[in-house]
């Protein structure tokens, strides 16, 4: 890992750090790096800064550029997987036996396929997450943790953090370091794709509907994308599953109307966890999937982001199925893969179990869940697999090599928490945006990046889950 351009004498200067904290928090508030509070999550009367690092974190230029360059290939991969029913059925066959949530999603996929797709436009906004592995052989390599194909967050707030870190570095007297922070505006990149899809939908009156959670702590992250759309005179409405169930219907052409307004785009910022749904919520999801509205993501793209699909894609020969005539894309994607192992019943799965039980500290056990805070580490892997070893319960998980990033010293600023120098680990996210019309890619772009950092003592959890904080890469 590159050495830290933030000098030790700055990191250890207590009086300066005290001062910089105040400067940083005020700068975050001035520039709209905001979240609602846990105490009043449904109101904007009292808000706080979103948690973030005091200093940006060094990231080697070559690995950063590698992550950006492979993103358009990942966009194509996700889109192709989403339309390959045979592959999804095979990949998820064991999972749906033990995981009701994935089974429910797959049954909606089957229903929509059988009925015939009523919209030839696909809009994908995803985020591929990586860590920098400084494992074997002394070098550092880029390794993918997962790809989020639904409700990929922090494109809004990460558009506002560079200006905050630049200001902090100036006040700290680090003018030469300040130049190494890149501009970044995922909010604009994501909104550009939504706007293009809205335009292709072809109805001036139609609106973009953000499908949102019941409690919206992270509303300002949405608002940046939303306001980019309003700036283009595209109307946005925000609705929950319950609102769509109550006020939504399809006309005879399967156009979706909610509260009397035609919906061109459904942008899911919710719906990735079982607890996001009531029975009525499921009915609303089915109605939206059957409709002519452009879904971001559609049900196939949602399934393409499951952990089980991620594991199947690492099998020999599978990427070639999706890129039969593009060995370069295959090589670039495969270079980011770490070891992923099946827990399906049978010999191969038995070998995975034995391997995990022998050295649990080398692995992460992942269930088919999004939203952070679900993964299992260390001794706990042993407990779970000992219990599930001989039963199909184990097929609800996949096993993954544990990536070993190099810790970096930093201060994490979080409302109501004491600030101390921590040993930190970071995760680099890259946003992808694409639009397909019939079989033609109309847009395929990398839409910006995100760095999230957590204290090394926490194994799991994202910013929304309350463990990681926002950060910026310092390109070295």
């Amino acid at each position: 890992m590159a050495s830290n351009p933030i000098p030790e004498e700055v990191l250890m200067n207590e009086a300066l750090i005290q001062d910089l904290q105040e400067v940083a928090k005020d700068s975050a508030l001035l520039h709209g790096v905001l979240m609602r509070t846990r105490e009043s999550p449904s109101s904007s009367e009292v808000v706080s800064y979103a948690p973030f690092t005091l200093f940006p974190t060094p990231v080697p230029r070559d690995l950063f550029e590698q992550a950006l360059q492979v993103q358009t290939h990942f966009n194509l991969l996700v889109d192709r997987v989403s339309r390959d029913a045979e592959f999804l059925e095979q990949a998820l066959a064991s999972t749906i036996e033990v995981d009701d949530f994935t089974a429910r999603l797959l049954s909606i996929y089957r229903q929509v396929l059988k009925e015939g797709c009523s919209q030839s436009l696909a809009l994908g906004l995803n985020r591929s997450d990586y860590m920098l592995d400084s494992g074997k052989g002394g070098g550092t390599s880029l390794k993918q943790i997962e790809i989020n194909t639904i409700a990929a967050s922090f494109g809004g707030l990460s558009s506002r953090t560079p200006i905050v870190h630049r200001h902090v570095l100036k006040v700290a007297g680090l003018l030469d370091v300040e130049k190494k922070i890149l501009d970044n505006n995922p909010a604009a990149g994501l909104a550009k794709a939504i706007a293009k899809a809205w335009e292709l939908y072809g109805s001036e009156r139609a609106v973009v509907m953000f499908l949102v959670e019941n409690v919206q702590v992270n509303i300002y992250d949405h608002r940046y994308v939303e306001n980019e759309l309003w700036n283009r005179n595209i109307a946005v409405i925000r609705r929950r599953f319950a609102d769509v169930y109550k006020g939504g219907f399809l006309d005879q052409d399967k156009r979706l109307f909610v509260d009397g307004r035609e919906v061109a785009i459904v942008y899911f910022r919710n719906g990735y966890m079982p607890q996001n749904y009531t029975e009525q919520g499921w009915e609303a999801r089915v109605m939206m999937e059957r409709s002519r509205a452009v879904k971001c993501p559609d049900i196939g793209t949602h399934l393409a982001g499951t952990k089980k699909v991620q594991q199947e894609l690492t099998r020999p020969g599978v990427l070639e199925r999706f890129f039969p005539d593009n060995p370069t894309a295959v090589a670039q994607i495969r270079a980011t893969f770490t070891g992923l192992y099946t827990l399906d019943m049978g010999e191969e799965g038995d070998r995975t179990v034995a391997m995990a039980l022998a050295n649990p500290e080398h692995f992460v056990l992942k269930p088919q869940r999004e939203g952070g805070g679900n993964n299992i580490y260390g001794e706990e892997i042993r407990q779970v697999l000992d219990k599930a070893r001989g039963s199909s319960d184990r097929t609800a998980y996949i096993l993954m090599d544990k990536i070993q990033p190099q810790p970096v010293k930093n201060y994490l600023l979080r409302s109501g928490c004491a600030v101390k120098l921590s040993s930190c680990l970071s995760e680099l996210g890259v946003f992808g945006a694409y639009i397909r019309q019939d079989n033609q890619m109309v847009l395929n772009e990398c839409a910006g990046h995100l760095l999230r950092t957590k204290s090394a003592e926490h194994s799991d959890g994202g910013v929304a889950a309350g463990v990681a904080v926002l950060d910026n890469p310092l390109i070295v």
Side-chain angles (χ1 to χ4, degrees), residues 290 318 429 445 469:
R290 291 181 57 228
V318 174
E445 292 180 351
V469 307

Side-chain angles (χ1 to χ4, degrees), residues 78-384:
V78 167
D79 181 58
R80 288 169 185 176
V81 169
S82 77
R83 294 189 288 154
D84 191 332
E86 184 192 17
F87 174 76
L88 285 173
E89 288 281 356
Q90 281 171 349
L92 296 170
S94 60
T95 309
I96 59 174
E97 296 295 317
V98 292
D99 188 276
D100 295 339
F101 182 61
T102 309
R104 196 106 196 222
L105 295 172
L106 191 66
S107 78
I108 298 175
Y109 182 69
R110 289 169 180 160
Q111 183 184 342
V112 172
L113 264 186
K114 201 171 141 193
E115 205 174 297
C117 185
S118 36
Q119 177 53 264
S120 62
L121 280 172
L123 165 64
L125 301 176
N126 62 52
R127 196 189 69 226
S128 182
D129 291 336
Y130 305 92
M131 275 186 155
L132 306 184
D133 190 17
S134 55
K136 313 159 193 66
T140 309
S141 59
L142 183 79
K143 291 296 167 196
Q144 188 184 52
I145 294 162
E146 62 177 356
I147 190 155
N148 303 282
T149 61
I150 179 169
S153 57
F154 295 108
L157 294 183
S158 61
S159 305
R160 308 301 298 157
T161 52
I163 195 167
V164 175
H165 273 151
R166 283 177 185 147
H167 182 63
V168 169
L169 292 174
K170 281 179 183 166
V171 176
L174 300 170
L175 295 177
D176 50 331
V177 183
E178 180 256 340
K179 294 184 187 65
K180 296 187 168 102
I181 296 181
L182 303 174
D183 289 331
N184 187 32
N185 196 348
L190 300 176
K192 173 186 167 182
I194 297 172
K196 180 75 180 153
W198 176 84
E199 189 187 302
L200 291 167
Y201 179 86
S203 167
E204 293 275 306
R205 290 185 318 279
V207 300
V208 171
M209 177 170 76
F210 282 41
L211 195 112
V212 297
E213 313 102 315
N214 297 337
V215 176
Q216 299 156 48
V217 176
N218 197 22
I219 190 166
Y220 304 105
D221 186 53
H222 300 196
R223 292 287 196 205
Y224 283 111
V225 180
E226 197 180 312
N227 289 355
E228 290 274 350
L229 294 167
W230 281 109
N231 290 345
R232 294 172 162 89
N233 299 321
I234 297 171
V236 176
I237 61 173
R238 301 173 63 81
R239 295 290 184 275
R240 296 161 305 188
F241 277 114
D243 304 322
V244 177
Y245 177 81
K246 271 209 304 274
F249 71 91
L250 304 186
D251 74 2
Q252 68 278 16
D253 298 321
K254 287 197 187 164
R255 285 183 305 196
L256 173 65
F257 288 83
V258 175
D259 299 334
R261 306 178 81 171
E262 183 180 355
V263 176
I265 315 278
V266 179
Y267 174 35
F268 286 93
R269 291 296 298 246
N270 189 25
Y272 48 86
M273 295 193 278
Q275 57 268 36
N276 300 154
Y277 293 88
T278 58
E279 269 316 302
Q280 295 183 343
W282 282 113
E283 282 185 43
R285 178 82 192 251
V286 171
M287 176 171 67
M288 292 184 279
E289 292 297 337
R290 291 181 57 228
S291 79
R292 263 187 60 185
V294 178
K295 279 73 64 182
C296 178
D298 61 24
I299 192 81
T301 307
H302 186 168
L303 288 167
T306 52
K307 303 289 183 290
K308 182 61 186 169
V309 165
Q310 181 190 7
Q311 177 254 307
E312 288 293 319
L313 288 170
T314 64
R315 284 185 183 280
V318 174
L319 286 178
E320 284 80 357
R321 172 185 181 126
F322 297 103
F323 293 94
D325 44 11
N326 193 341
T328 314
V330 168
Q332 287 181 2
I333 290 172
R334 196 165 277 149
T336 68
F337 287 165
T338 186
L340 288 140
Y341 312 95
T342 179
L343 285 160
D344 286 353
M345 301 311 284
E347 228 174 283
E348 197 185 353
D350 291 345
R351 279 201 301 275
T352 303
V353 172
M355 185 171 76
L357 290 174
N359 292 298
E361 65 288 349
H362 294 171
F363 301 102
V364 184
L365 192 62
K366 294 184 153 192
Q368 309 298 321
R369 286 290 167 272
E370 295 309 318
N374 305 300
N375 295 338
I376 296 164
Y377 297 85
E379 214 26 64
E380 214 185 320
I381 293 183
R382 213 170 247 154
Q383 292 161 19
V384 172

Side-chain angles (χ1 to χ4, degrees), residues 48 75 105 130 202 208 227 271 316 321 327 333 371 388 391 414 420 444 453:
S48 186
N75 291 345
L105 295 172
Y130 305 92
V208 171
N227 289 355
R321 172 185 181 126
I333 290 172
S391 87
R414 195 184 266 116
K420 63 178 202 299
N444 181 10
T453 292

Side-chain angles (χ1 to χ4, degrees), residues 37-87:
T37 62
R38 295 275 162 214
E39 296 69 45
S40 52
S42 299
S43 151
S44 292
E45 291 301 308
V46 178
V47 301
S48 186
Y49 57 90
F52 68 106
T53 56
L54 183 56
F55 297 109
T57 296
V59 172
R61 179 181 295 280
D62 55 339
L63 300 182
F64 179 74
E65 286 175 354
Q66 182 191 351
L68 298 189
Q69 277 157 6
V70 74
Q71 186 57 41
T72 52
H73 296 319
F74 270 116
N75 291 345
L76 286 172
L77 178 61
V78 167
D79 181 58
R80 288 169 185 176
V81 169
S82 77
R83 294 189 288 154
D84 191 332
E86 184 192 17
F87 174 76

